[in-house]
Amino acid sequence: CDNVDNAQSESTTVVSQRMTRQQILTLISIASVNFSSMICYSILGPFFPNEAVKKGASQTDIGLIFGCYAVCNLIGSLILGKYIVQIGAKFMLVTGLFVSSGCTILFGLLDRVPAGPPFIALCFIVRSIDALGFAAAMTSSFAMTAKIFPNNVATVLGSLEIFTGLGLILGPPVGGWFYQSFGYEVPFMLLGCFLLIMVPFNIYVLPTIDADASKDSFFRLLTNVKILLICYLIFTLSAGLGFLDATLSLFAIEKFNLSPGYVGLIMLGLSLPYCLASPLMGYFVDKYPATRSWFMVTGGLATGLGFCLLGPAPFLNISGPLWLLVIMLGVIGFSLGMTALPTFPEIITCVYDQGYEEGLSTLGLVSGLFGAVWSFGMFYGPIVGGFITQNLNFEWAALIQGGLAFLGVSNGERLSQMFNKLFFNRFLLIYHLDLDYAFRLNPCLILEKKSKEGQL
């Protein structure tokens, strides 16, 4: 606990200046978690949809397999975020890594299962358990990062997103190459063992963080409309990524006659710009917090434009060459970094302004909420995107996804101010749910109410 307190006090300066040994080891540990978890997650993209089709799965079934991962991640994030103090952040992270490694290895053995319902059912079971492990690892890693570096959250997360991006970058081409060279099983066996090696490493490196449990809840978080709007923006980003995971490889193979290995290289167009942009965006957002809203709005607009031109949209009457697909993936990847990085520190700021205690318990709630909303998007994207692709085509599905992004950034700040003033404040005042919180939102409204009641 003393190590964590020292880390917090020294993180008030720039992250790269005179970090303690514990801070450095913690960064290395969480970076390894981000990298190993994301490479195991992204390995499926280039070849699994095609392999699942051979095993008798439809496009909708594939979307559901991707989507069930997100649903279990959503449930796990909410529960684990709420009880992170009782479980222990370090224990949660290490256990999550162990579960994910075992499930990755098991997923590599599914090609031996008979085609049809047995294969599809086991895909659902293994992916669901894997999702719970992933939720445990990522929820605790986000909370620990915000705890140890409270004044540099975006900078540290941006730096760590380099390793998340590397996992996304290396997963598709490495998975596609190993699949082409050695078959279905080898990619999962290698990466599952790599993830397993991370378990003892993190047991040794990670600090133990002691904290008191909080009585605050997710419900109170969601009474802040600004947080709701940020959550919707997070949802649109993850829904877009989930949509691409489930549909892009089949679209590229059918339209451009590409092999799984080349599909993996195309996916670099999405993850490489995100990897390169994240550290810069994180540093800038921490140095100039007032720019967070601008980054989220601009990034959301760029994301919507990227999806509209990804197919491209049918009404544009453009043939859609391969180079346009790659460029639009790059636009989406860059805008993802621009939009996603400010959301986590902005929610933390809103939560503390709302009166939550500063500590691991509150950070666990925020991390759990972030993970749950992200997972809900990852559930929606593959299922709805796969359904639209199957019944219409990829172009229309991408256009609808772009429309969601445009909707998320339209009049967001104005809606936040309007609803906070006209609805939530009056609701809290009328029913006396939390006068202290209402006063922080709008002191004038409370003074007006007390005046009318003759208290002033």
Side-chain angles (χ1 to χ4, degrees):
C1 186
D2 292 338
N3 288 332
V4 174
D5 293 336
N6 292 334
Q8 281 185 267
S9 64
E10 294 198 17
S11 66
T12 56
T13 60
V14 178
V15 175
S16 59
Q17 294 179 356
R18 301 181 60 185
M19 286 194 301
T20 64
R21 178 176 179 270
Q22 189 64 68
Q23 284 179 310
I24 295 173
L25 291 176
T26 301
L27 283 177
I28 294 173
S29 174
I30 296 178
S32 71
V33 172
N34 287 9
F35 175 76
S36 55
S37 297
M38 293 313 298
I39 196 172
C40 289
Y41 171 79
S42 63
I43 189 179
L44 295 179
F47 63 88
F48 176 75
N50 195 43
E51 189 74 20
V53 169
K54 295 178 183 177
K55 287 284 191 177
S58 67
Q59 181 69 64
T60 302
D61 292 330
I62 296 170
L64 287 171
I65 291 172
F66 279 93
C68 78
Y69 183 94
V71 169
C72 294
N73 204 327
L74 185 156
I75 297 171
S77 295
L78 290 175
I79 296 175
L80 296 171
K82 173 65 176 176
Y83 297 103
I84 188 171
V85 173
Q86 291 88 337
I87 297 173
K90 179 177 179 178
F91 178 78
M92 183 186 295
L93 189 148
V94 172
T95 303
L97 282 178
F98 181 76
V99 171
S100 291
S101 64
C103 289
T104 301
I105 294 172
L106 287 176
F107 206 83
L109 300 175
L110 293 183
D111 66 323
R112 304 185 182 188
V113 176
F119 173 81
I120 296 172
L122 285 175
C123 282
F124 277 113
I125 293 172
V126 176
R127 287 285 285 175
S128 298
I129 299 174
D130 189 16
L132 295 177
F134 183 82
M138 298 309 294
T139 299
S140 56
S141 69
F142 269 73
M144 292 178 73
T145 300
K147 174 69 175 176
I148 296 174
F149 300 95
N151 299 302
N152 306 102
V153 176
T155 302
V156 174
L157 288 179
S159 301
L160 292 174
E161 287 305 297
I162 294 176
F163 299 93
T164 300
L166 284 175
L168 291 172
I169 288 170
L170 294 178
V174 168
W177 184 80
F178 275 115
Y179 172 75
Q180 279 189 298
S181 303
F182 303 104
Y184 179 83
E185 295 182 4
V186 172
F188 295 100
M189 296 296 175
L190 290 177
L191 294 180
C193 292
F194 175 74
L195 198 62
L196 191 61
I197 293 173
M198 294 294 103
V199 173
F201 173 75
N202 282 280
I203 291 176
Y204 172 74
V205 166
L206 280 177
T208 300
I209 301 177
D210 297 324
D212 296 325
S214 172
K215 296 181 180 179
D216 290 314
S217 66
F218 286 106
F219 173 77
R220 189 178 166 204
L221 276 179
L222 298 178
T223 60
N224 188 311
V225 177
K226 187 173 184 180
I227 293 179
L228 284 176
L229 291 170
I230 294 173
C231 286
Y232 178 77
L233 191 59
I234 296 169
F235 161 77
T236 62
L237 297 176
S238 60
L241 289 179
F243 162 71
L244 293 176
D245 281 339
T247 60
L248 181 62
S249 62
L250 290 177
F251 172 73
I253 290 172
E254 292 174 3
K255 183 171 182 177
F256 302 108
N257 197 27
L258 299 176
S259 65
Y262 280 108
V263 173
L265 291 176
I266 287 177
M267 288 184 173
L268 287 177
L270 176 68
S271 50
L272 186 59
Y274 174 74
C275 178
L276 297 176
S278 293
L280 178 62
M281 298 296 176
Y283 173 78
F284 200 86
V285 164
D286 268 339
K287 187 164 183 156
Y288 305 103
T291 62
R292 290 174 186 166
S293 297
W294 184 88
F295 272 108
M296 287 188 285
V297 171
T298 305
L301 291 173
T303 301
L305 179 64
F307 273 106
C308 289
L309 295 176
L310 188 64
F315 59 80
L316 295 177
N317 295 321
I318 302 175
S319 61
L322 181 60
W323 61 264
L324 180 62
L325 176 71
V326 175
I327 290 176
M328 288 303 105
L329 286 174
V331 170
I332 294 171
F334 185 84
S335 63
L336 176 64
M338 181 183 292
T339 310
L341 279 175
T343 57
F344 192 72
E346 187 67 15
I347 293 177
I348 292 176
T349 300
C350 293
V351 165
Y352 288 156
D353 290 343
Q354 195 168 332
Y356 278 71
E357 298 177 1
E358 297 188 17
L360 181 64
S361 183
T362 297
L363 294 173
L365 287 176
V366 175
S367 182
L369 177 65
F370 184 93
V373 174
W374 187 272
S375 299
F376 181 63
M378 295 297 287
F379 169 76
Y380 170 91
I383 293 178
V384 176
F387 178 79
I388 297 173
T389 301
Q390 182 173 329
N391 290 276
L392 296 175
N393 54 42
F394 178 86
E395 290 83 353
W396 278 109
L399 177 63
I400 293 172
Q401 187 59 50
L404 290 177
F406 283 130
L407 183 62
V409 300
S410 62
N411 299 320
E413 191 66 28
R414 186 169 61 186
L415 283 173
S416 174
Q417 294 173 357
M418 181 183 70
F419 277 101
N420 269 329
K421 181 177 180 181
L422 297 180
F423 180 75
F424 283 104
N425 284 0
R426 294 189 182 276
F427 180 85
L428 291 170
L429 287 171
I430 292 171
Y431 292 99
H432 301 277
L433 293 180
D434 191 343
L435 291 179
D436 290 336
Y437 168 47
F439 184 80
R440 280 189 294 274
L441 285 175
N442 195 334
C444 296
L445 196 57
I446 285 196
L447 296 176
E448 175 188 343
K449 179 177 183 293
K450 288 184 176 181
S451 178
K452 290 180 179 179
E453 293 175 351
Q455 297 180 25
L456 289 177

